[in-house]
Amino acid sequence: MKTITVNASQKYDITVAKDLSLFWEKAAPYLTGGKVALITDETVDGLYPDFSALIPSDKTVYKYVIKAGERSKNAENYIRILNLMAEDGFKRDDSVITFGGGVVGD
């Protein structure tokens, strides 16, 4: 595991590791509320189908998967995910994780 400090307008750290379980070690203190929305795309979900199983067991995980690619970066998908989160009862103190780069990270 390696930590890189970025000196931007606000300083922050990036942790790089090969073992995904280390992600939860770093992320767990920031997961608030009882629910976690995990937003990813079909490609990343296919590569890491068990990623949500690493989320601490005291959280209820809702996984939202969108099609990979720039064509999925649109208001329709954004609103669809917001509506699904509302249907699933998400509140302000619950957490959202985007897993993957590109569209879900943007």
Side-chain angles (χ1 to χ4, degrees):
M1 179 166 62
K2 181 177 182 177
T3 300
I4 301 166
T5 300
V6 177
N7 291 309
S9 58
Q10 291 188 351
K11 199 183 239 189
Y12 61 93
D13 291 335
I14 297 174
T15 302
V16 180
K18 290 182 180 182
D19 184 352
L20 284 175
S21 66
L22 295 175
F23 171 80
W24 299 114
E25 179 183 311
K26 292 287 189 179
Y30 301 101
L31 296 178
T32 60
K35 297 178 183 177
V36 175
L38 178 60
I39 303 170
T40 191
D41 69 29
E42 293 173 332
T43 301
V44 174
D45 189 49
L47 293 170
Y48 303 97
D50 298 329
F51 182 71
S52 61
L54 297 172
I55 295 174
S57 61
D58 64 330
K59 308 292 182 196
T60 303
V61 180
Y62 296 83
K63 184 163 56 170
Y64 308 107
V65 181
I66 63 172
K67 291 186 185 233
E70 286 294 311
R71 296 187 76 184
S72 292
K73 190 188 300 184
N74 57 54
E76 181 181 324
N77 273 329
Y78 178 68
I79 292 168
R80 181 177 64 83
I81 290 171
L82 290 178
N83 284 331
L84 288 169
M85 288 174 65
E87 289 172 19
D88 291 332
F90 274 79
K91 298 191 177 356
R92 298 186 100 167
D93 66 335
D94 291 318
S95 299
V96 176
I97 294 173
T98 59
F99 185 50
V103 175
V104 297
D106 290 347

XYZ file of all heavy atoms in Angstrom:
820
model
N 0.863 -1.169 0.000
C 0.000 0.000 0.000
C 0.906 1.227 0.000
O 1.903 1.278 0.703
C -0.904 -0.027 1.226
C -1.822 1.160 1.311
S -3.169 1.000 2.516
C -2.316 0.835 4.053
N 0.519 2.230 -0.799
C 1.294 3.458 -0.895
C 0.344 4.647 -0.798
O -0.734 4.640 -1.387
C 2.041 3.485 -2.227
C 2.890 4.704 -2.432
C 3.643 4.613 -3.747
C 4.521 5.836 -3.906
N 5.318 5.778 -5.126
N 0.748 5.661 -0.042
C -0.050 6.873 0.084
C 0.673 8.024 -0.603
O 1.866 8.241 -0.384
C -0.304 7.227 1.562
O -1.006 6.126 2.164
C -1.143 8.478 1.700
N -0.068 8.730 -1.455
C 0.464 9.875 -2.184
C -0.307 11.105 -1.724
O -1.546 11.098 -1.704
C 0.274 9.695 -3.704
C 0.981 8.415 -4.170
C 0.770 10.919 -4.463
C 0.576 7.964 -5.557
N 0.393 12.157 -1.341
C -0.260 13.393 -0.929
C -0.325 14.345 -2.122
O 0.691 14.612 -2.770
C 0.501 14.062 0.232
O 0.522 13.151 1.337
C -0.174 15.352 0.661
N -1.530 14.833 -2.412
C -1.742 15.781 -3.504
C -1.812 17.173 -2.898
O -2.608 17.428 -1.995
C -3.048 15.458 -4.265
C -3.304 16.491 -5.350
C -2.986 14.057 -4.846
N -0.976 18.061 -3.392
C -0.941 19.440 -2.903
C -1.707 20.337 -3.868
O -1.116 21.023 -4.703
C 0.507 19.926 -2.747
C 1.212 19.223 -1.623
O 0.697 19.170 -0.520
N 2.370 18.670 -1.896
N -3.020 20.303 -3.772
C -3.887 21.154 -4.587
C -4.373 22.301 -3.710
O -3.786 22.565 -2.658
C -5.049 20.325 -5.122
N -5.466 22.960 -4.100
C -5.990 24.049 -3.269
C -6.307 23.555 -1.866
O -6.199 24.287 -0.895
C -7.220 24.689 -3.909
O -8.218 23.714 -4.106
N -6.713 22.296 -1.774
C -6.846 21.617 -0.487
C -6.026 20.334 -0.573
O -6.147 19.579 -1.531
C -8.303 21.283 -0.171
C -9.145 22.496 0.116
C -10.532 22.099 0.609
O -10.922 20.941 0.590
N -11.267 23.088 1.047
N -5.198 20.111 0.396
C -4.335 18.937 0.428
C -5.173 17.689 0.721
O -6.063 17.711 1.558
C -3.303 19.132 1.535
C -2.087 18.275 1.425
C -1.189 18.525 2.634
C 0.144 19.009 2.187
N 1.113 19.050 3.292
N -4.896 16.577 -0.004
C -5.571 15.315 0.278
C -4.650 14.157 -0.095
O -3.697 14.324 -0.850
C -6.914 15.206 -0.457
C -6.823 15.265 -1.970
C -6.730 14.104 -2.717
C -6.850 16.487 -2.643
C -6.654 14.134 -4.095
C -6.775 16.537 -4.020
C -6.676 15.362 -4.747
O -6.595 15.396 -6.114
N -4.959 12.985 0.467
C -4.160 11.791 0.221
C -4.883 10.836 -0.715
O -6.111 10.719 -0.680
C -3.875 11.038 1.530
C -2.933 11.798 2.442
O -2.149 12.623 1.931
O -2.981 11.565 3.661
N -4.106 10.149 -1.525
C -4.593 9.063 -2.362
C -3.843 7.813 -1.922
O -2.615 7.825 -1.815
C -4.324 9.320 -3.855
C -5.069 10.567 -4.326
C -4.698 8.098 -4.686
C -4.728 10.967 -5.747
N -4.582 6.743 -1.646
C -3.961 5.480 -1.258
C -4.068 4.512 -2.425
O -5.154 4.315 -2.973
C -4.649 4.889 -0.010
O -4.551 5.843 1.049
C -4.001 3.590 0.409
N -2.944 3.915 -2.797
C -2.893 2.953 -3.895
C -2.555 1.589 -3.302
O -1.587 1.456 -2.560
C -1.814 3.360 -4.928
C -1.763 2.364 -6.071
C -2.062 4.772 -5.431
N -3.385 0.597 -3.638
C -3.152 -0.752 -3.116
C -3.687 -1.772 -4.103
O -4.616 -1.484 -4.858
C -3.845 -0.927 -1.769
N -3.123 -2.958 -4.090
C -3.590 -4.042 -4.953
C -4.739 -4.807 -4.323
O -5.518 -5.446 -5.009
C -2.440 -5.003 -5.256
C -1.392 -4.407 -6.148
C -0.313 -5.417 -6.449
C 0.738 -4.794 -7.350
N 1.773 -5.737 -7.718
N -4.866 -4.761 -3.019
C -5.866 -5.529 -2.282
C -7.076 -4.648 -1.990
O -6.970 -3.665 -1.267
C -5.249 -6.032 -0.972
C -6.179 -6.919 -0.177
O -7.369 -7.045 -0.537
O -5.724 -7.488 0.817
N -8.236 -4.986 -2.580
C -9.434 -4.167 -2.392
C -9.898 -4.101 -0.945
O -10.548 -3.140 -0.547
C -10.582 -4.692 -3.262
C -10.486 -4.348 -4.736
C -11.617 -5.017 -5.498
C -10.517 -2.851 -4.954
N -9.579 -5.103 -0.146
C -10.026 -5.064 1.248
C -9.403 -3.877 1.981
O -9.971 -3.375 2.953
C -9.702 -6.373 1.967
O -8.308 -6.542 2.074
N -8.250 -3.402 1.532
C -7.630 -2.227 2.140
C -8.456 -0.967 1.887
O -8.410 -0.024 2.660
C -6.203 -2.040 1.622
C -5.235 -3.154 1.999
C -3.886 -2.930 1.323
C -5.067 -3.240 3.498
N -9.222 -0.984 0.798
C -10.098 0.153 0.514
C -11.071 0.371 1.668
O -11.271 1.475 2.135
C -10.875 -0.086 -0.781
C -11.947 0.951 -1.021
C -11.621 2.181 -1.546
C -13.269 0.689 -0.695
C -12.604 3.142 -1.753
C -14.248 1.631 -0.897
C -13.912 2.868 -1.436
N -11.661 -0.710 2.141
C -12.656 -0.590 3.206
C -12.030 -0.167 4.517
O -12.636 0.544 5.302
C -13.454 -1.878 3.349
C -14.178 -2.144 2.075
C -13.986 -3.159 1.210
C -15.175 -1.300 1.477
N -14.798 -3.021 0.121
C -15.540 -1.889 0.257
C -15.784 -0.110 1.843
C -16.486 -1.335 -0.592
C -16.731 0.440 1.008
C -17.073 -0.172 -0.188
N -10.799 -0.579 4.723
C -10.083 -0.140 5.916
C -9.972 1.386 5.927
O -10.154 2.018 6.955
C -8.696 -0.775 5.926
C -7.826 -0.387 7.092
C -6.448 -1.006 6.987
O -6.350 -2.231 6.742
O -5.473 -0.260 7.135
N -9.710 1.959 4.770
C -9.590 3.416 4.653
C -10.954 4.099 4.592
O -11.141 5.186 5.124
C -8.783 3.792 3.403
C -7.344 3.421 3.471
C -6.615 4.333 4.411
C -5.123 4.123 4.349
N -4.410 5.009 5.230
N -11.920 3.483 3.919
C -13.217 4.113 3.685
C -14.189 3.983 4.843
O -15.044 4.857 5.034
C -13.857 3.526 2.427
N -14.089 2.920 5.619
C -15.071 2.634 6.675
C -15.369 3.816 7.592
O -16.542 4.071 7.898
C -14.643 1.420 7.488
N -14.379 4.581 8.029
C -14.695 5.702 8.924
C -15.575 6.780 8.280
O -16.197 7.565 8.975
C -13.320 6.283 9.281
C -12.341 5.221 8.963
C -12.940 4.411 7.860
N -15.625 6.790 6.952
C -16.389 7.821 6.248
C -17.784 7.363 5.847
O -18.574 8.154 5.344
C -15.624 8.281 5.001
C -14.274 8.837 5.342
C -13.130 8.068 5.171
C -14.139 10.116 5.869
C -11.885 8.573 5.500
C -12.892 10.622 6.205
C -11.780 9.843 6.013
O -10.553 10.338 6.345
N -18.089 6.079 6.045
C -19.408 5.568 5.680
C -20.396 5.903 6.789
O -20.336 5.346 7.876
C -19.354 4.058 5.452
C -18.479 3.587 4.300
C -18.478 2.064 4.230
C -18.930 4.179 2.981
N -21.291 6.811 6.498
C -22.275 7.222 7.490
C -23.629 6.621 7.146
O -23.849 6.123 6.047
C -22.378 8.763 7.542
O -22.778 9.244 6.252
C -21.041 9.386 7.933
N -24.544 6.691 8.087
C -25.880 6.152 7.874
C -25.866 4.638 7.798
O -24.835 3.991 7.957
N -27.006 4.076 7.542
C -27.132 2.626 7.511
C -27.099 2.025 6.126
O -27.069 0.814 5.971
N -27.102 2.892 5.096
C -27.160 2.395 3.721
C -25.980 2.915 2.925
O -25.476 4.014 3.161
C -28.449 2.865 3.044
C -29.700 2.340 3.693
C -30.933 2.869 3.008
C -32.167 2.354 3.748
N -33.381 2.883 3.165
N -25.577 2.106 1.935
C -24.530 2.501 0.998
C -25.049 2.268 -0.415
O -25.468 1.161 -0.749
C -23.235 1.684 1.205
C -22.209 2.040 0.140
C -22.667 1.916 2.594
N -25.030 3.318 -1.223
C -25.339 3.190 -2.644
C -24.017 2.955 -3.357
O -23.107 3.780 -3.273
C -26.006 4.458 -3.175
N -23.894 1.836 -4.028
C -22.698 1.505 -4.791
C -23.056 1.670 -6.265
O -23.864 0.923 -6.798
C -22.253 0.077 -4.486
C -21.048 -0.442 -5.246
C -19.810 0.417 -4.977
C -20.772 -1.890 -4.882
N -22.472 2.678 -6.894
C -22.763 2.971 -8.298
C -21.555 2.564 -9.130
O -20.436 2.996 -8.870
C -23.075 4.466 -8.489
C -24.245 4.872 -7.580
C -23.394 4.763 -9.957
C -24.483 6.363 -7.495
N -21.797 1.710 -10.130
C -20.715 1.215 -10.970
C -21.235 0.998 -12.385
O -22.418 1.227 -12.656
C -20.114 -0.085 -10.367
O -18.911 -0.406 -11.049
C -21.093 -1.235 -10.406
N -20.349 0.573 -13.280
C -20.822 0.255 -14.630
C -20.681 -1.243 -14.886
O -20.090 -1.973 -14.080
C -20.109 1.100 -15.694
C -18.637 0.774 -15.884
O -18.232 -0.382 -15.664
O -17.873 1.682 -16.258
N -21.234 -1.685 -16.001
C -21.273 -3.126 -16.302
C -19.876 -3.742 -16.400
O -19.672 -4.874 -15.960
C -22.017 -3.363 -17.623
C -23.482 -3.033 -17.556
C -24.149 -3.106 -18.918
O -23.487 -2.886 -19.945
O -25.367 -3.379 -18.939
N -18.923 -3.004 -16.941
C -17.572 -3.544 -17.083
C -16.928 -3.786 -15.727
O -16.417 -4.876 -15.443
C -16.692 -2.590 -17.923
O -17.292 -2.422 -19.210
C -15.285 -3.138 -18.073
N -16.951 -2.768 -14.875
C -16.333 -2.892 -13.547
C -17.082 -3.926 -12.717
O -16.466 -4.728 -12.012
C -16.285 -1.519 -12.833
C -15.778 -1.662 -11.408
C -15.412 -0.555 -13.617
N -18.401 -3.946 -12.814
C -19.186 -4.932 -12.065
C -18.820 -6.351 -12.499
O -18.765 -7.260 -11.674
C -20.680 -4.669 -12.261
C -21.537 -5.523 -11.348
O -21.263 -5.566 -10.130
O -22.489 -6.148 -11.852
N -18.542 -6.538 -13.790
C -18.135 -7.853 -14.280
C -16.757 -8.263 -13.781
O -16.503 -9.438 -13.538
N -15.866 -7.286 -13.611
C -14.513 -7.571 -13.135
C -14.467 -7.806 -11.626
O -13.645 -8.573 -11.140
C -13.573 -6.414 -13.492
C -13.292 -6.214 -14.979
C -12.550 -4.903 -15.212
C -12.485 -7.388 -15.528
N -15.347 -7.104 -10.886
C -15.342 -7.173 -9.421
C -16.758 -7.411 -8.897
O -17.313 -6.580 -8.182
C -14.789 -5.866 -8.830
C -13.410 -5.535 -9.308
C -13.209 -4.656 -10.363
C -12.299 -6.116 -8.701
C -11.932 -4.344 -10.806
C -11.017 -5.812 -9.142
C -10.844 -4.933 -10.195
O -9.581 -4.635 -10.627
N -17.377 -8.534 -9.234
C -18.771 -8.763 -8.842
C -18.995 -8.851 -7.334
O -20.092 -8.601 -6.859
C -19.126 -10.082 -9.532
C -17.812 -10.784 -9.705
C -16.811 -9.680 -9.940
N -17.951 -9.182 -6.580
C -18.100 -9.341 -5.134
C -17.629 -8.126 -4.345
O -17.498 -8.192 -3.127
C -17.325 -10.582 -4.663
C -17.851 -11.856 -5.294
O -19.075 -11.919 -5.578
O -17.061 -12.777 -5.524
N -17.379 -7.023 -5.016
C -16.874 -5.826 -4.343
C -17.788 -5.382 -3.209
O -17.327 -5.053 -2.122
C -16.709 -4.691 -5.352
C -16.154 -3.426 -4.770
C -14.829 -3.353 -4.380
C -16.956 -2.308 -4.611
C -14.299 -2.180 -3.850
C -16.439 -1.141 -4.085
C -15.110 -1.074 -3.699
N -19.087 -5.407 -3.421
C -20.018 -4.944 -2.382
C -19.987 -5.834 -1.147
O -20.329 -5.391 -0.053
C -21.438 -4.839 -2.925
O -21.899 -6.093 -3.360
N -19.544 -7.073 -1.295
C -19.465 -7.975 -0.137
C -18.406 -7.527 0.860
O -18.424 -7.939 2.011
C -19.182 -9.397 -0.594
N -17.497 -6.647 0.427
C -16.449 -6.151 1.307
C -16.927 -4.993 2.192
O -16.241 -4.608 3.127
C -15.246 -5.673 0.484
C -14.542 -6.744 -0.348
C -13.510 -6.096 -1.254
C -13.897 -7.782 0.545
N -18.093 -4.442 1.900
C -18.628 -3.334 2.689
C -18.981 -3.857 4.079
O -19.549 -4.947 4.207
C -19.845 -2.695 1.997
C -19.391 -2.047 0.669
C -20.521 -1.655 2.880
C -20.509 -1.508 -0.181
N -18.667 -3.107 5.120
C -18.959 -3.572 6.489
C -20.397 -4.075 6.634
O -21.334 -3.489 6.079
C -18.711 -2.326 7.335
C -17.697 -1.551 6.559
C -18.049 -1.791 5.106
N -20.561 -5.157 7.378
C -21.850 -5.844 7.470
C -22.939 -5.040 8.184
O -24.103 -5.412 8.116
C -21.678 -7.202 8.160
O -21.189 -7.007 9.472
N -22.584 -3.943 8.853
C -23.612 -3.136 9.506
C -24.287 -2.183 8.523
O -25.167 -1.422 8.905
C -23.039 -2.365 10.696
C -21.994 -1.340 10.295
O -21.289 -1.559 9.285
O -21.886 -0.308 10.992
N -23.925 -2.241 7.246
C -24.511 -1.393 6.211
C -25.341 -2.239 5.254
O -24.989 -3.372 4.939
C -23.422 -0.678 5.392
C -22.400 0.080 6.200
C -23.003 1.281 6.871
C -21.921 2.033 7.638
N -22.469 2.963 8.590
N -26.436 -1.672 4.780
C -27.221 -2.303 3.729
C -26.755 -1.713 2.409
O -26.745 -0.496 2.246
C -28.727 -2.035 3.925
O -29.113 -2.508 5.216
C -29.542 -2.730 2.859
N -26.370 -2.583 1.478
C -25.802 -2.145 0.210
C -26.832 -2.254 -0.907
O -27.492 -3.280 -1.053
C -24.559 -2.979 -0.158
C -23.962 -2.508 -1.480
C -23.528 -2.918 0.951
N -26.944 -1.182 -1.672
C -27.785 -1.152 -2.864
C -26.854 -0.878 -4.036
O -26.174 0.139 -4.054
C -28.837 -0.048 -2.772
C -29.829 -0.266 -1.659
C -29.534 0.106 -0.354
C -31.065 -0.847 -1.921
C -30.438 -0.092 0.670
C -31.976 -1.050 -0.895
C -31.667 -0.667 0.391
O -32.558 -0.872 1.406
N -26.816 -1.807 -4.993
C -25.912 -1.639 -6.131
C -26.707 -1.178 -7.348
O -27.717 -1.781 -7.710
C -25.180 -2.943 -6.422
C -24.156 -2.813 -7.521
C -23.132 -3.935 -7.578
C -23.655 -5.303 -7.695
N -22.616 -6.310 -7.974
N -26.226 -0.111 -7.958
C -26.833 0.442 -9.163
C -25.797 0.350 -10.279
O -24.718 0.929 -10.182
C -27.258 1.888 -8.946
C -28.126 2.075 -7.716
C -27.618 2.679 -6.577
C -29.444 1.631 -7.696
C -28.408 2.854 -5.443
C -30.234 1.791 -6.563
C -29.709 2.408 -5.445
O -30.485 2.565 -4.322
N -26.124 -0.389 -11.330
C -25.185 -0.636 -12.421
C -25.704 0.038 -13.691
O -26.857 -0.157 -14.070
C -25.004 -2.151 -12.659
C -24.016 -2.411 -13.783
C -24.556 -2.848 -11.376
N -24.817 0.832 -14.318
C -25.178 1.473 -15.580
C -24.331 0.891 -16.698
O -23.321 0.235 -16.446
C -25.004 3.013 -15.512
C -23.539 3.387 -15.287
C -25.888 3.606 -14.442
C -23.261 4.868 -15.412
N -24.736 1.128 -17.941
C -23.954 0.671 -19.086
C -22.646 1.440 -19.128
O -22.602 2.625 -18.807
C -24.730 0.884 -20.383
C -25.918 -0.029 -20.509
C -26.572 0.121 -21.861
C -27.822 -0.727 -21.860
N -27.893 -1.631 -22.957
N -21.588 0.771 -19.532
C -20.278 1.407 -19.640
C -20.252 2.333 -20.858
O -20.964 2.110 -21.832
C -19.190 0.343 -19.770
N -19.445 3.368 -20.768
C -19.237 4.249 -21.914
C -19.841 5.628 -21.749
O -20.759 5.844 -20.947
N -19.287 6.556 -22.517
C -19.680 7.969 -22.451
C -21.169 8.191 -22.729
O -21.748 9.150 -22.238
C -18.848 8.801 -23.436
C -17.427 9.030 -22.991
C -17.324 9.893 -21.738
O -17.954 10.961 -21.683
O -16.592 9.486 -20.820
N -21.792 7.324 -23.507
C -23.216 7.501 -23.821
C -24.090 7.386 -22.577
O -25.225 7.842 -22.569
C -23.658 6.501 -24.881
C -22.911 6.746 -26.207
C -23.432 5.920 -27.289
N -24.698 6.519 -27.702
C -25.491 6.009 -28.602
N -25.175 4.892 -29.195
N -26.615 6.599 -28.918
N -23.551 6.783 -21.521
C -24.312 6.651 -20.279
C -24.213 7.881 -19.395
O -24.909 7.970 -18.389
C -23.830 5.420 -19.499
O -24.166 4.245 -20.190
N -23.347 8.809 -19.760
C -23.181 10.037 -18.974
C -24.257 11.028 -19.424
O -24.055 11.833 -20.316
C -21.791 10.633 -19.189
C -21.471 11.751 -18.223
C -20.183 12.486 -18.549
C -18.982 11.609 -18.542
N -17.718 12.347 -18.769
N -25.436 10.912 -18.787
C -26.552 11.774 -19.177
C -27.504 11.987 -18.004
O -27.438 11.275 -16.988
C -27.300 11.176 -20.385
C -27.810 9.778 -20.120
O -28.517 9.537 -19.148
N -27.446 8.830 -20.988
N -28.354 12.961 -18.143
C -29.302 13.308 -17.081
C -30.279 12.166 -16.814
O -30.704 11.964 -15.676
C -30.057 14.583 -17.450
N -30.618 11.406 -17.839
C -31.565 10.294 -17.666
C -31.032 9.275 -16.658
O -31.759 8.852 -15.756
C -31.827 9.631 -19.013
C -32.819 8.486 -18.951
C -33.033 7.846 -20.310
O -33.034 8.568 -21.329
O -33.193 6.619 -20.335
N -29.784 8.875 -16.794
C -29.196 7.919 -15.844
C -29.072 8.524 -14.457
O -29.314 7.857 -13.454
C -27.825 7.432 -16.323
C -27.945 6.239 -17.235
O -28.851 5.434 -17.111
N -27.025 6.141 -18.168
N -28.668 9.776 -14.395
C -28.534 10.460 -13.104
C -29.870 10.490 -12.363
O -29.956 10.119 -11.198
C -28.000 11.868 -13.337
C -27.860 12.694 -12.090
C -26.917 12.371 -11.123
C -28.666 13.810 -11.875
C -26.778 13.133 -9.968
C -28.528 14.576 -10.727
C -27.589 14.229 -9.790
O -27.453 14.977 -8.650
N -30.910 10.892 -13.064
C -32.244 10.969 -12.456
C -32.757 9.580 -12.098
O -33.372 9.383 -11.048
C -33.219 11.730 -13.376
C -32.799 13.197 -13.435
C -34.666 11.585 -12.912
C -33.481 14.010 -14.509
N -32.470 8.584 -12.947
C -32.904 7.206 -12.665
C -32.279 6.716 -11.359
O -32.963 6.144 -10.504
C -32.515 6.273 -13.819
C -32.959 4.834 -13.607
C -32.619 3.947 -14.803
N -31.196 3.822 -15.033
C -30.400 2.958 -14.400
N -30.897 2.145 -13.479
N -29.128 2.881 -14.679
N -30.981 6.971 -11.167
C -30.320 6.542 -9.934
C -30.878 7.301 -8.736
O -31.130 6.708 -7.684
C -28.789 6.684 -10.054
C -28.265 5.635 -11.036
C -28.119 6.539 -8.694
C -26.811 5.805 -11.416
N -31.100 8.600 -8.887
C -31.697 9.371 -7.785
C -33.071 8.825 -7.411
O -33.392 8.696 -6.226
C -31.800 10.848 -8.150
C -30.497 11.634 -8.234
C -30.781 13.071 -8.660
C -29.742 11.598 -6.926
N -33.885 8.496 -8.414
C -35.214 7.938 -8.142
C -35.122 6.577 -7.463
O -35.880 6.294 -6.530
C -36.030 7.838 -9.437
C -36.560 9.173 -9.889
O -36.811 10.072 -9.080
N -36.727 9.335 -11.188
N -34.192 5.734 -7.908
C -34.017 4.425 -7.265
C -33.571 4.592 -5.814
O -34.063 3.893 -4.924
C -32.998 3.582 -8.040
C -33.461 3.049 -9.397
C -32.283 2.464 -10.173
C -34.563 2.012 -9.211
N -32.667 5.536 -5.575
C -32.220 5.775 -4.204
C -33.373 6.280 -3.338
O -33.507 5.880 -2.182
C -31.054 6.762 -4.195
C -29.761 6.167 -4.736
S -28.412 7.356 -4.888
C -28.147 7.764 -3.161
N -34.221 7.123 -3.905
C -35.385 7.614 -3.157
C -36.338 6.455 -2.847
O -36.828 6.331 -1.720
C -36.103 8.701 -3.959
N -36.578 5.586 -3.837
C -37.436 4.418 -3.618
C -36.860 3.502 -2.547
O -37.605 2.873 -1.790
C -37.600 3.632 -4.919
C -38.459 4.316 -5.957
C -38.429 3.586 -7.293
O -38.055 2.388 -7.334
O -38.774 4.222 -8.310
N -35.530 3.428 -2.474
C -34.865 2.572 -1.491
C -34.708 3.261 -0.140
O -34.105 2.695 0.781
C -33.503 2.111 -2.025
C -33.641 1.138 -3.192
O -34.667 0.429 -3.263
O -32.727 1.088 -4.037
N -35.236 4.475 -0.010
C -35.275 5.150 1.275
C -33.980 5.813 1.729
O -33.777 5.997 2.924
N -33.121 6.177 0.787
C -31.875 6.848 1.173
C -32.160 8.207 1.796
O -33.073 8.920 1.380
C -30.944 7.019 -0.038
C -30.090 5.808 -0.283
C -30.611 4.699 -0.925
C -28.785 5.766 0.151
C -29.838 3.579 -1.133
C -27.998 4.645 -0.052
C -28.529 3.551 -0.697
N -31.369 8.532 2.797
C -31.474 9.811 3.487
C -30.128 10.523 3.411
O -29.137 9.958 2.953
C -31.881 9.580 4.935
C -33.252 8.914 5.071
C -33.733 8.954 6.491
C -35.085 8.393 6.724
N -35.921 7.925 5.706
N -30.086 11.750 3.883
C -28.878 12.581 3.791
C -27.655 11.973 4.458
O -26.528 12.206 4.034
C -29.127 13.932 4.436
C -30.211 14.712 3.776
C -30.264 16.049 4.392
N -29.544 16.899 3.435
C -29.539 18.183 3.442
N -30.174 18.827 4.369
N -28.902 18.861 2.538
N -27.852 11.196 5.516
C -26.694 10.670 6.235
C -26.192 9.340 5.667
O -25.187 8.814 6.131
C -26.982 10.539 7.730
C -28.045 9.504 8.049
O -28.889 9.213 7.177
O -28.046 8.986 9.173
N -26.863 8.794 4.655
C -26.395 7.563 4.033
C -25.231 7.873 3.087
O -24.950 9.034 2.795
C -27.545 6.878 3.287
C -28.594 6.331 4.251
O -28.214 5.756 5.286
O -29.797 6.501 3.970
N -24.560 6.836 2.622
C -23.331 7.009 1.844
C -23.505 6.593 0.388
O -24.329 5.743 0.074
C -22.206 6.179 2.459
O -21.949 6.592 3.775
N -22.666 7.194 -0.465
C -22.625 6.857 -1.886
C -21.166 6.585 -2.253
O -20.284 7.382 -1.928
C -23.174 8.003 -2.766
C -23.025 7.663 -4.251
C -24.616 8.309 -2.428
N -20.936 5.454 -2.919
C -19.605 5.124 -3.426
C -19.737 4.889 -4.921
O -20.595 4.128 -5.362
C -19.049 3.850 -2.757
C -18.817 4.090 -1.273
C -17.765 3.394 -3.446
C -18.425 2.840 -0.505
N -18.879 5.548 -5.698
C -18.808 5.237 -7.122
C -17.575 4.378 -7.320
O -16.487 4.723 -6.873
C -18.735 6.508 -7.981
O -17.591 7.282 -7.620
C -19.997 7.338 -7.838
N -17.748 3.237 -7.932
C -16.662 2.283 -8.127
C -16.365 2.167 -9.600
O -17.130 1.596 -10.364
C -17.032 0.922 -7.518
C -15.925 -0.083 -7.557
C -14.653 0.229 -7.110
C -16.158 -1.353 -8.039
C -13.629 -0.710 -7.147
C -15.152 -2.307 -8.073
C -13.883 -1.982 -7.628
N -15.260 2.741 -9.999
C -14.857 2.776 -11.409
C -14.518 4.198 -11.784
O -14.761 5.128 -11.035
N -13.965 4.352 -12.923
C -13.617 5.693 -13.385
C -14.624 6.155 -14.417
O -15.743 5.655 -14.482
N -14.203 7.104 -15.190
C -15.035 7.550 -16.304
C -16.397 8.028 -15.869
O -16.524 8.902 -15.013
N -17.425 7.438 -16.444
C -18.797 7.902 -16.269
C -19.224 7.915 -14.799
O -19.737 8.912 -14.318
C -19.773 7.049 -17.111
C -21.213 7.458 -16.844
C -19.446 7.197 -18.581
N -19.026 6.838 -14.063
C -19.501 6.809 -12.683
C -18.687 7.730 -11.794
O -19.204 8.281 -10.820
C -19.550 5.383 -12.080
C -20.530 4.517 -12.853
C -18.200 4.728 -12.038
N -17.428 7.911 -12.111
C -16.601 8.828 -11.334
C -16.917 10.284 -11.604
O -16.736 11.146 -10.756
N -17.390 10.582 -12.806
C -17.752 11.953 -13.153
C -19.074 12.317 -12.519
O -19.388 13.416 -12.242
C -17.847 12.132 -14.679
C -16.477 12.053 -15.350
O -15.460 12.105 -14.648
O -16.440 11.910 -16.570
